[in-house]
């Protein structure tokens, strides 16, 4: 091992406990992004906890002697170096709601067997802490910079990235290139585009209630419908079908379906409960006997999660298949209100597709309440900065995986030339947690400390190479 490499490892080892302590401090703030609690006077567009989190982070950075700037509570930045050209490093300080099923307390983090446990300890406060310590390293070593290093921290990544959208729309400037430290290693060179829709489908008069899911980007594992039908009739029609519960209801019968939940970008391992229910009603013959026109529409249009029923199944080499998810369903005044999460490949002709789909919806008397398109992201893997990242990743880890593509969206979709690169490295599974625990949006979110420090080393080497 070279002398400077040894020094870096020793420095990291000497700062391990401080990094863990800082990360735990940050996790104690339950910074769920709440635009509904916006307070413009206090510059808190995402509620008091995000305001407190951003204050805490900026105060910590300025106590270390770095120049900081609060971008009106939407996001914040800190700098090391005076060079006008900058390299960005972006992370988000907001977290997803804690949800249910935690064994540990979500906002009282603990360290156990080399892991930290708590909401946000991985996604994405661990990367913000890496940013802070990268700056500390550069400062302690008085590294002279030909490009300044800029840490950028947002407060609404998990709720649609309005934080940096607002900052950019109001004239904020971002570096020529930025690392988005909110994915896996190595470099993500392509992200599918996002196509979100909010539609109202005529239900049919025998549907009295219908609900499933809470967020657009999750595949619902449970759906419930109340039908204008006796419990006996429902039981005899649906008796042979699996994954259903049939219970009496004041108004008729309540049918509950069970599917398998998951992330909208990965329908391959899941089973959408809305479709389980719709298909059961069709197979039982009830969709013909009763007026359930909305159900027939859903069963046909979303018959696969790849857009086949919508008429635009497609894929490309760079970013893979189009995926579609019906994530939230509510019953509203005789209509089925549905939120769709569609992710389209980089090369798909999105304008033609949305026009065609609008025409199809209008034929079926479906109303479009809202339609929002997020552009896909693509960077040529041969770009010099991508090659530098890949090479350093290979040097540190010995892993020669090529740049990858993903269906999920990070700040890459919003921050120009924001390249998603890390900070997640393949980590062991915490054996003290049951199956289904430990993931970044699930209960008992964990961060594995050793691989976290490894990621720090990769980033530090990239910055020394590009900026020093
Ligand atoms: Zn994240």
């Amino acid at each position: 091992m070279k002398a400077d490499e040894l020094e870096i490892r020793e420095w990291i080892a000497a700062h391990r406990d401080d990094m863990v302590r800082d990360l735990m401090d940050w996790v104690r703030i339950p910074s769920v992004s709440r635009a509904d609690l916006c307070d413009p006077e206090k510059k808190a567009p995402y509620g008091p906890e995000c305001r407190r989190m951003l204050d805490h982070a900026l105060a910590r950075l300025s106590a270390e002697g770095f120049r900081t700037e609060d971008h009106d509570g939407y996001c914040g930045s800190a700098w090391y170096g005076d060079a006008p050209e900058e390299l960005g490093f972006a992370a988000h300080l907001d977290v997803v709601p804690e949800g249910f099923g935690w064994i540990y307390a979500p906002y009282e983090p603990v360290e156990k067997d080399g892991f930290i446990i708590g909401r946000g300890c991985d996604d994405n406060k661990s990367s913000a802490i890496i940013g802070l310590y990268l700056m500390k390293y550069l400062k302690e070593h008085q590294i002279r910079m030909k490009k300044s290093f800029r840490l950028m921290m947002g407060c609404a990544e998990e709720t649609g990235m309005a934080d940096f959208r607002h900052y950019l729309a109001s004239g904020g400037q971002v570096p020529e290139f930025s690392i988005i430290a909110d994915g896996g290693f190595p470099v993500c060179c392509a992200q599918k585009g996002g196509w979100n829709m909010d539609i109202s489908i005529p239900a049919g008069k025998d549907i009295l209630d219908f609900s499933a899911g809470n967020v657009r980007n999750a595949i619902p594992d449970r759906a419930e419908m109340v039908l204008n039908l006796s419990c006996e009739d429902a039981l005899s029609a649906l008796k042979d079908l699996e994954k259903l519960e049939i219970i009496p209801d004041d108004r008729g019968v309540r049918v509950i379906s069970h599917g398998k939940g998951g992330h909208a970008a990965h329908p391959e391992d899941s089973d959408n409960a809305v479709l389980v229910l719709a298909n059961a009603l069709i197979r039982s013959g009830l969709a013909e006997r009763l007026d359930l026109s909305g159900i027939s529409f859903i069963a046909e249009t979303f018959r696969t999660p790849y857009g086949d029923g919508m008429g635009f199944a497609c894929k490309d080499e760079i970013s893979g298949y189009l995926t579609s998810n019906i994530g939230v369903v509510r019953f509203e005044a005789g209509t089925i209100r549905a939120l769709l999460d569609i992710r389209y490949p980089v090369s798909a002709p999105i304008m033609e597709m949305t026009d065609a789909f609008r025409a199809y919806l209008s034929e079926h008397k479906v109303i479009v309440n809202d339609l929002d398109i997020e552009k896909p992201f693509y960077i040529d893997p041969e770009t010099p900065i991508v090659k530098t990242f890949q090479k350093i990743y290979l040097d540190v880890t010995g892993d020669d995986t090529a740049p990858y593509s993903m269906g999920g969206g990070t700040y890459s979709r919003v921050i120009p030339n924001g390249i998603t690169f890390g900070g997640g490295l393949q980590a062991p599974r915490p054996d003290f947690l049951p199956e289904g625990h430990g993931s970044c949006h699930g209960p008992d979110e964990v961060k594995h400390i050793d691989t976290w420090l490894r990621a720090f080393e990769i980033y530090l080497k990239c910055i020394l190479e590009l900026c020093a």
Side-chain angles (χ1 to χ4, degrees):
M1 202 183 296
K2 284 182 273 169
D4 52 343
E5 216 157 79
L6 194 63
E7 194 281 332
I8 288 174
R9 296 235 170 130
E10 278 170 1
W11 192 91
I12 294 172
H15 289 77
R16 177 208 185 271
D17 292 351
D18 291 346
M19 286 178 73
V20 168
R21 193 173 327 117
D22 269 313
L23 179 54
M24 287 190 175
D25 281 347
W26 294 27
V27 169
R28 279 187 199 100
I29 303 177
S31 47
V32 176
S33 199
R34 296 287 304 269
D36 58 320
L37 301 178
C38 162
D39 185 345
E41 252 161 52
K42 292 188 177 137
K43 292 199 173 171
Y46 302 115
E49 295 297 354
C50 280
R51 180 66 264 177
R52 185 153 76 96
M53 184 65 239
L54 186 59
D55 281 337
H56 180 86
L58 293 176
R60 181 74 186 80
L61 283 148
S62 93
E64 292 284 347
F66 300 112
R67 180 165 70 88
T68 63
E69 203 176 299
D70 173 8
H71 309 309
D72 295 331
Y74 289 85
C75 37
S77 297
W79 287 264
Y80 173 76
D82 305 318
E85 217 185 314
E86 301 172 341
L87 175 71
F89 185 90
H92 61 89
L93 298 176
D94 62 308
V95 297
V96 293
E98 59 276 19
F100 301 101
W102 285 69
I103 296 165
Y104 292 81
Y107 302 111
E108 287 163 34
V110 289
E111 184 183 339
K112 186 178 163 75
D113 299 352
F115 292 87
I116 298 167
I117 310 151
R119 173 57 82 227
C121 70
D122 177 23
D123 186 11
N124 186 231
K125 291 176 178 177
S126 59
S127 287
I129 296 291
I130 283 183
L132 161 66
Y133 280 82
L134 287 169
M135 292 174 74
K136 264 175 82 86
Y137 181 95
L138 298 171
K139 184 161 185 269
E140 276 180 29
H141 292 75
Q142 297 183 328
I143 308 275
R144 289 170 54 112
M145 306 283 278
K146 61 175 192 253
K147 276 186 198 169
S148 301
F149 177 81
R150 175 174 170 190
L151 172 60
M152 303 189 287
M153 298 168 293
C155 294
E157 198 277 344
E158 298 288 5
T159 52
M161 304 183 243
D163 46 2
F164 277 99
R165 272 188 235 280
H166 173 94
Y167 173 69
L168 289 161
S170 44
Q173 300 288 320
V174 293
E176 189 194 355
F177 286 104
S178 298
I179 294 170
I180 311 295
D182 190 20
F185 282 109
V187 171
C188 169
C189 65
Q191 281 182 20
K192 286 176 193 169
W195 168 2
N196 294 328
M197 285 187 97
D198 172 346
I199 57 176
S200 293
I201 307 159
K205 69 175 172 39
D206 291 317
I207 296 177
L208 305 179
D209 202 358
F210 190 10
S211 79
N214 290 309
V215 286
R216 188 195 299 272
N217 61 9
I219 296 169
D221 60 358
R222 177 189 166 98
E224 280 193 51
M225 181 180 277
V226 177
L227 289 171
N228 180 24
L229 181 72
S230 72
C231 199
E232 298 73 56
D233 285 352
L235 278 168
S236 75
L238 295 164
K239 63 178 182 312
D240 296 331
L241 299 170
E242 290 166 10
K243 305 179 191 169
L244 297 180
E245 286 173 64
I246 294 151
I247 34 187
D249 185 276
D250 298 346
R251 294 167 291 174
V253 63
R254 180 175 297 266
V255 183
I256 300 170
S257 68
H258 297 277
K260 185 168 175 227
H263 194 283
H266 300 289
E268 60 279 6
D269 319 313
S270 301
D271 193 10
N272 190 319
V274 174
L275 273 301
V276 172
L277 182 54
N279 291 332
L281 293 171
I282 303 241
R283 267 185 290 148
S284 67
L286 286 173
E288 276 177 29
R289 271 170 54 199
L290 302 169
D291 179 3
L292 311 177
S293 56
I295 280 300
S296 308
F297 174 84
I298 287 173
E300 173 53 27
T301 309
F302 305 105
R303 75 187 136 86
T304 74
Y306 303 105
D308 297 277
M310 304 160 88
F312 40 65
C314 59
K315 67 166 183 172
D316 65 26
E317 192 81 3
I318 303 160
S319 49
Y321 290 94
L322 176 142
T323 60
S324 81
N325 179 45
I326 178 161
V328 181
V329 168
R330 295 289 180 268
F331 186 72
E332 277 178 13
T335 67
I336 299 167
R337 181 97 181 248
L339 302 186
L340 311 181
D341 175 306
I342 304 162
R343 293 158 194 248
Y344 62 95
V346 170
S347 62
I350 186 65
M351 287 309 156
E352 286 159 41
M353 285 158 60
T354 47
D355 286 350
F357 194 52
R358 269 181 187 281
Y360 168 83
L361 293 176
S362 111
E363 259 169 53
H364 290 82
K365 306 210 166 20
V366 174
I367 295 165
V368 177
N369 304 308
D370 194 20
L371 185 154
D372 172 48
I373 300 288
E374 288 171 9
K375 282 185 286 179
F377 167 80
Y378 178 69
I379 187 164
D380 186 340
E382 296 302 313
T383 310
I385 191 167
V386 174
K387 293 184 97 167
T388 303
F389 291 165
Q390 286 289 120
K391 183 188 165 299
I392 291 170
Y393 169 77
L394 170 64
D395 286 350
V396 174
T397 62
D399 174 17
D400 64 355
T401 301
Y404 68 97
S405 79
M406 68 196 261
T410 65
Y411 281 140
S412 287
R413 281 191 186 159
V414 175
I415 298 176
N417 285 322
I419 303 167
T420 301
F421 176 54
L425 277 172
Q426 195 70 38
R429 230 199 81 76
D431 54 17
F432 54 86
L433 288 176
E435 202 62 43
H437 290 240
S439 74
C440 67
H441 287 189
D444 300 310
E445 176 176 350
V446 296
K447 187 69 188 172
H448 181 246
I449 297 169
D450 284 349
T451 50
W452 181 41
L453 301 178
R454 208 34 129 47
F456 178 91
E457 184 182 339
I458 298 170
Y459 288 134
L460 178 59
K461 287 181 174 167
C462 288
I463 289 153
L464 294 174
E465 170 103 12
L466 292 165
C467 306

